[in-house]
Amino acid sequence: MASIRDIAKEANVSPGTVSRVLNNDPTLSVAATTRERIHDVAKRMQYQKVSRKNKTIQIITYASRAKEMSDPYYREIRLAIEAEVTRLNLSLKRTIRIDGSSGVVDFDKVEKAGAIIVVGNFSEAAIIELQAHNNNIVVINNPNTPKSIDAVYSDLHYAMTTLLNEIEKMNLKRVAYVGGTHTVRNLAGEAKLYNTDPRYEAYTAWCEDHHIDALPIMSGWEQEDGKLAVQRFIAEDTLPDVLIAGNDMVAIGILQQLQSENIKLPDEVKLVSFNDLEVIQYAVPSVSGVHIPVDEFGRTAVRMAEERINKTRKIAIHVVVEAQLNERTTFKTMH
């Protein structure tokens, strides 16, 4: 393939002049005949301009800045993305937040990014619309992502069922789940209630299959929700053998309330949390948790985005990352 130097030699001008002519530099002052000669030589020599790769990553998130600062889930995903972007010598653009208070999405920014990484519960229509503006798209932790779009997530239905099967082996019959419902956002940031949570669905299905009374409390995802759930169980005299918390903030609330009621863990009640982020790992007593590897979500999403930027992969893939039970003081299986 002809180079800039080859064209310069043939057209009898400097390589710098050739480069500036072929890149349509508006500040270059050169005769029209020279400009025409350079283009003619380039065409004759079948010169092909090498386009520079756009190595920028654009995060699009459901979380407001305050939510990202206070919620370890979103914070750990961002830190993992940032670390992998640096390692792969990519660059990160300023985050687009679709949190209901940020106005309309600037699709110009979406289109100008080398690839986009979408974090949070967005509707399928929203994801498809984003793909229409940038085909290099990776979605984090949304199993409902269309199969034609890259995604990375954990199978929480499977993880919950596996945990419940372990609980059954321990001959523990009274098992409660404390969590909340979800909302999905469209690209205007409007939230719509989305009742299906894979942990809750797996829990209720398992209880039904095993003819066990389900004891769910679906009040929310905050620390206070965990405290109120324990108060309710005690008031109704239905304190279970095992409490499963839908996330770590709920688990901390449960732990604090049980301690204030002088209920001993794990002797009187056992506790397992989902997510198992740093915030829960150093509690006292140490809380067992189903570890959802959000750091791996972030790293994997960046690597998938890089493959799209480099055009080394054209087909969409869904990566399912294993969620493992980490046993600590509040719950231990018999293995």
Side-chain angles (χ1 to χ4, degrees), residues 183-203:
T183 56
V184 295
R185 290 193 195 278
N186 60 22
L187 294 186
E190 297 163 341
K192 181 181 178 183
L193 193 61
Y194 181 72
N195 289 313
T196 54
D197 174 76
R199 286 156 290 203
Y200 170 72
E201 287 183 339
Y203 167 76

Side-chain angles (χ1 to χ4, degrees), residues 26-138:
T27 64
L28 177 65
S29 177
V30 67
T33 53
T34 304
R35 195 180 293 271
E36 190 177 338
R37 187 168 73 252
I38 290 169
H39 279 293
D40 287 344
V41 171
K43 188 175 181 181
R44 191 173 74 246
M45 298 181 83
Q46 297 182 317
Y47 171 74
Q48 286 186 328
K49 191 171 157 184
V50 178
S51 59
R52 293 180 64 188
K53 280 177 191 164
N54 183 346
K55 298 173 78 175
T56 59
I57 302 285
Q58 175 79 71
I59 298 174
I60 299 173
T61 182
Y62 186 100
S64 65
R65 193 178 298 278
K67 179 75 171 171
E68 198 170 86
M69 292 295 289
S70 65
D71 190 326
Y73 170 83
Y74 288 102
R75 193 165 63 249
E76 289 194 25
I77 285 179
R78 167 174 279 281
L79 289 172
I81 289 172
E82 287 176 350
E84 194 67 7
V85 161
T86 301
R87 191 185 74 81
L88 294 175
N89 198 29
L90 305 170
S91 64
L92 207 54
K93 299 182 80 174
R94 188 171 180 179
T95 300
I96 293 175
R97 299 184 188 279
I98 306 176
D99 56 9
S101 62
S102 304
V104 295
V105 179
D106 187 341
F107 287 117
D108 191 45
K109 288 182 179 177
V110 175
E111 289 169 2
K112 285 180 178 176
I116 57 175
I117 294 176
V118 181
V119 184
N121 270 352
F122 290 100
S123 67
E124 183 175 328
I127 293 169
I128 290 169
E129 189 174 349
L130 286 170
Q131 185 195 29
H133 290 276
N134 193 322
N135 198 48
N136 296 342
I137 175 173
V138 185

Side-chain angles (χ1 to χ4, degrees), residues 259-275:
Q259 288 174 327
S260 73
E261 304 276 357
N262 293 315
I263 296 168
K264 293 181 174 59
L265 290 107
D267 299 338
E268 295 177 70
V269 178
K270 302 182 193 311
L271 172 63
V272 187
S273 178
F274 267 78
N275 284 15

Side-chain angles (χ1 to χ4, degrees), residues 232-273:
R232 184 168 143 192
F233 283 128
I234 291 171
E236 295 174 357
D237 197 25
T238 56
L239 197 65
D241 300 320
V242 184
L243 278 160
I244 301 173
N247 73 1
D248 294 330
M249 300 311 292
V250 170
I252 288 171
I254 289 171
L255 179 65
Q256 289 174 340
Q257 192 62 35
L258 288 172
Q259 288 174 327
S260 73
E261 304 276 357
N262 293 315
I263 296 168
K264 293 181 174 59
L265 290 107
D267 299 338
E268 295 177 70
V269 178
K270 302 182 193 311
L271 172 63
V272 187
S273 178

